[in-house]
Amino acid sequence: CSLSTSSSSNTSGGGRKGVGKLNARTTTESETERVSLGSGGGGNAFSTAALEGVTSVVIEASKGAGSRKIEAPSADKSFVYMDDSREGVIDREDGLPAVYDKEAIQNYWDGRPGELTKRWGEFVRLNVPFLTRVAAILISGGALVEEAGSLSKDARIIMEKLGPTYIKMGQMLSVRPDVLPEEARDELAILQDSVKPFSALTAREVVERSLGQPVEQLFSSFTEEPVAAASLAQVHRATLRESGQVVAVKVQRPNIIETVSKDLYVLRRAAEVYQAIMDRFAPQQKTDYRALLNEWAIGFYTELDFMNEAANQMKMKTLLEENGVKDVYIPKVYEEYCSRYLLVTEWVEGRKLTDCEPEEVRELVEIGQECFLTQLLQIGFFHCDPHPGNLMKLDDPSKGKLALIDFGLMASLKVEEMDTLISSIVHLSNRDYSKLTEDFVELEILPEDCDRSKVLPLMDKALSPFIKGGGATRYKDEIMKTYEGAGGLQSMTSDFVTVMNDIPFSIPPYFALLGRAVATLEGIALIGNPDYRIVMESYPFVSRKLLSDDKPAFQKALTEILYSKDDQTLKSQRLTVLLNSAQGIVAETDSFVDLDSVPDSAMKTSETVKFFFGEKASGLRNTLKPEITNAADLLLRQTIRRISTQVEISAPQLPFLPSGGDLPVPFMTREGSPTIMSLEKATETLAPPLTQDEEIYALSMLDLATLLTGLDIKNIFIEPKMENIFGVVQSLVSLDLSSNPLSNTPVLSLIGSQNNDELQEFVLGVTQLDKDSQMRAESFVSECLQEIQSKIVGR
């Protein structure tokens, strides 16, 4: 009210002009300095005028939103996962749909407009005094962090008064050490445990109404007091009478769906106000904040259908098992006991991550991170609410180490969206902002026609500090360091205005879900490791995906890493770096992946061999197979020509034999019949001379082979043994390829000439291959030899 009064006397004065100038980017240099630094009398005068202008716009936006009919969000393009079997199901008690249905919800509230208006009034009445106090602190030059304790207490009380929807939001903020100071988090953490449970009698009524039988007939025991109470439901421990299985019975809070549905309308109205403000001050921005709110609202509403949650939980359990995720346990669902209001699952014993020591959190976060990345980037079906209460350290190690619960909010991604996310992580980690820009276009964060010349330098400034980790607080500090030697706050303000006015970025709606999940996981990880870097920690997983998956998108990303931009030659060093990254051994420079430096603790040769022929390197083998066969063919040609020269020089001069290139030599045809051919003709047939580019390429592949195997492969080909080369050629030309190329092919005779520790390490890797890996290795070598053979026979 006080802000409204102050602006009414000057709604068209300096405030509006000031804001208009900033928006039109015609602000003078001195005005920009006063805006950015806020120093001196002129700065304060401008701040007051700007505040009046902003206030008038807020009032206009509020009136506009208040006068318009607010429609329910559309779920047509939502990423929230809803089980098909739940579509069209209407709650038999209150008439609201089980899962989100715009038309059904719209029809329900169209007949109750007074209730929405009343709730909006309550929201405004409770929030305006709080926001006014925040504004007053800022205007007076105070720091919010100094008032964190009392402000957080006020916010917590408001959330408790507004009910479950807002309590849920406060609980999310309470696990973000990088966003809120400790004092504020401690205050909001009260919301995790301060939710008052409803009576056991009410819980029993819900159970009996849902299942149509008395509690005593269903359960041999059912705790009177809940073991946990949350904003949407509470959990009772019980024992199934039929099987004796101990279970967790999640009972929905009565009438909660109507309350939440009403609150989502209120938040939609608040989003209308915010959208109007952003449209006024940053018209170039394309983010639809209503759509972001819609996605969160649809997800929150869908959480209230426990049959949908049961379907989510069963699906996730199956998918994680199929994808080989280890150390993560998902409790069994007893579907026959579940309903719209009731979820019955296996009881598991364990501790919340918030009750674990930092060292335990660090270990469990690694497991949880692998699980989440598998969901996000491999399965395309991910948990959107992995807060500490939903992650437990298991007491029973036979089941795993980490239990994952609460599957009310899940999201799904298409294959092409997962592929682009993987590509963006690769480019972000490698500091390839040019390609990252194209990823952002694919993700619809940037438009196709964005000005790349303005985007790229700002990406470096905005994203480089983010890679260094440590959460939002560390990010802010790193941002300030970036600008210390580059014009200070004035330069930062200029960049901010450029972003707001010249770069029409948008935040896709699914980021409301993805951002929530990532932010929550990062918040937990920061408890165990204040330096946690979510992007860099994801890189080993992404490396494994690139090496193992032969999808075109991944092969393209792998090619971008392994091949030089200029001449498209394979960079052997990068392959070694990538192989080590896949094993979690990442070389870094200034917090970014260093693709051109092999880490100090690199894998041993035997480990490289096992990984290369393992299940998780199929993509790499497919990428390298043509390179290996081409290189081997070139090297074989080069070696044959070198031996031919040696034969020509060292052959005895006999009067009855031609000399030099006319020297007759035995030759084996494809049909297996021997013949005689001149040395020169045989050489030209088997081994045409290499071009300069082919020689350079062949040498680079020798370096790669030496790097990967530890063997002095180059020396084998530079100083070959004549009898070994002839044996290889004879086998290839006559199709005499062994059924077990790993142990019997003459090619190994070339390697066998070495006798050193590296050879022993290589042999160790081969002999330690399991049965499946050995079969893959034999198949790979056979296919390569057949390709080389076809080239020779063709010639």
Side-chain angles (χ1 to χ4, degrees), residues 95-115:
L96 283 163
V99 294
Y100 196 86
D101 183 318
K102 176 184 176 180
E103 299 302 326
I105 296 174
Q106 190 77 53
N107 292 336
Y108 181 87
W109 287 112
D110 279 349
R112 300 165 175 80
E115 293 185 42

Side-chain angles (χ1 to χ4, degrees), residues 266-575:
V266 169
L267 288 171
R268 167 72 186 215
R269 176 158 285 172
E272 290 279 352
V273 174
Y274 188 72
Q275 187 73 52
I277 293 169
M278 292 304 294
D279 290 346
R280 171 67 177 83
F281 291 110
Q284 294 296 319
Q285 296 310 296
K286 302 301 181 184
T287 298
D288 188 341
Y289 295 96
R290 290 161 298 198
L292 284 174
L293 185 277
N294 289 356
E295 192 72 347
W296 183 82
I298 292 165
F300 194 12
Y301 187 97
T302 304
E303 281 189 79
L304 297 172
D305 180 18
F306 288 176
M307 284 299 291
N308 189 71
E309 179 175 349
N312 288 343
Q313 188 161 337
M314 290 185 290
K315 179 176 181 177
M316 180 61 79
K317 186 177 182 70
T318 301
L319 288 173
L320 292 186
E321 289 172 356
E322 290 175 351
N323 284 271
V325 175
K326 299 178 181 179
D327 296 324
V328 175
Y329 187 75
I330 296 178
K332 178 182 177 181
V333 175
Y334 294 88
E335 193 175 7
E336 63 273 25
Y337 293 94
C338 297
S339 76
R340 167 77 178 74
Y341 312 97
L342 202 65
L343 178 68
V344 179
T345 60
E346 172 190 1
W347 180 272
V348 290
E349 296 284 354
R351 287 180 291 152
K352 293 181 183 178
L353 257 62
T354 46
D355 298 330
C356 296
E357 295 298 322
E359 294 77 15
E360 295 176 300
V361 172
R362 192 177 295 117
E363 178 191 2
L364 294 172
V365 161
E366 289 181 10
I367 297 170
Q369 173 185 276
E370 184 79 9
C371 177
F372 178 74
L373 290 172
T374 301
Q375 295 171 38
L376 178 66
L377 303 176
Q378 186 166 313
I379 297 173
F381 180 65
F382 65 93
H383 196 300
C384 297
D385 195 19
H387 67 71
N390 293 338
L391 299 167
M392 296 172 58
K393 180 178 182 180
L394 284 167
D395 290 346
D396 183 359
S398 67
K399 292 182 176 179
K401 296 180 179 179
L402 183 70
L404 187 58
I405 60 176
D406 192 350
F407 294 84
L409 182 56
M410 305 291 295
S412 59
L413 293 174
K414 298 176 183 177
V415 171
E416 53 268 26
E417 290 158 347
M418 289 188 286
D419 292 351
T420 307
L421 283 173
I422 286 179
S423 179
S424 64
I425 292 173
V426 170
H427 296 146
L428 181 57
S429 303
N430 298 340
R431 212 171 187 171
D432 191 343
Y433 293 129
S434 178
K435 288 191 171 65
L436 183 62
T437 300
E438 305 312 314
D439 294 331
F440 279 14
V441 170
E442 287 288 325
L443 293 170
E444 299 181 0
I445 297 173
L446 289 169
E448 181 69 39
D449 60 351
C450 67
D451 188 342
R452 268 73 167 174
S453 65
K454 290 182 178 178
V455 171
L456 291 177
L458 292 176
M459 267 195 169
D460 190 12
K461 290 179 180 178
L463 296 178
S464 295
F466 173 66
I467 297 294
K468 296 183 178 180
T473 302
R474 181 82 58 81
Y475 175 78
K476 182 187 70 175
D477 293 342
E478 291 294 333
I479 283 284
M480 296 307 295
K481 287 180 185 177
T482 301
Y483 283 97
E484 279 178 0
L489 289 173
Q490 182 172 343
S491 178
M492 185 164 66
T493 301
S494 175
D495 282 349
F496 177 75
V497 172
T498 298
V499 170
M500 296 300 285
N501 290 289
D502 295 349
I503 302 176
F505 71 88
S506 64
I507 303 173
Y510 66 87
F511 268 46
L513 300 172
L514 178 58
R516 170 180 174 174
V518 170
T520 304
L521 268 180
E522 186 184 29
I524 297 170
L526 289 167
I527 298 172
N529 177 15
D531 298 320
Y532 181 78
R533 300 173 299 164
I534 192 163
V535 174
M536 294 300 290
E537 295 293 337
S538 304
Y539 197 78
F541 179 91
V542 171
S543 297
R544 289 194 294 275
K545 284 294 293 179
L546 296 182
L547 296 173
S548 64
D549 205 314
D550 55 4
K551 287 194 299 185
F554 294 163
Q555 292 298 291
K556 178 183 177 184
L558 182 59
T559 301
E560 287 174 356
I561 292 175
L562 296 182
Y563 289 82
S564 168
K565 295 178 184 178
D566 301 324
D567 55 10
Q568 287 299 298
T569 55
L570 183 68
K571 303 189 76 172
S572 56
Q573 193 95 330
R574 290 193 169 189
L575 178 57

Side-chain angles (χ1 to χ4, degrees), residues 696-745:
I696 294 172
Y697 170 75
L699 289 172
S700 71
M701 290 302 294
L702 283 176
D703 290 335
L704 171 62
T706 299
L707 206 58
L708 292 178
T709 65
L711 302 173
D712 190 2
I713 304 293
K714 184 179 290 187
N715 189 54
I716 294 174
F717 283 91
I718 291 176
E719 298 181 8
K721 292 186 177 181
M722 193 178 303
E723 63 272 18
N724 291 338
I725 291 295
F726 282 148
V728 172
V729 174
Q730 182 177 358
S731 295
L732 290 172
V733 173
S734 65
L735 292 177
D736 182 21
L737 295 176
S738 170
S739 59
N740 185 350
L742 278 184
S743 57
N744 297 329
T745 179

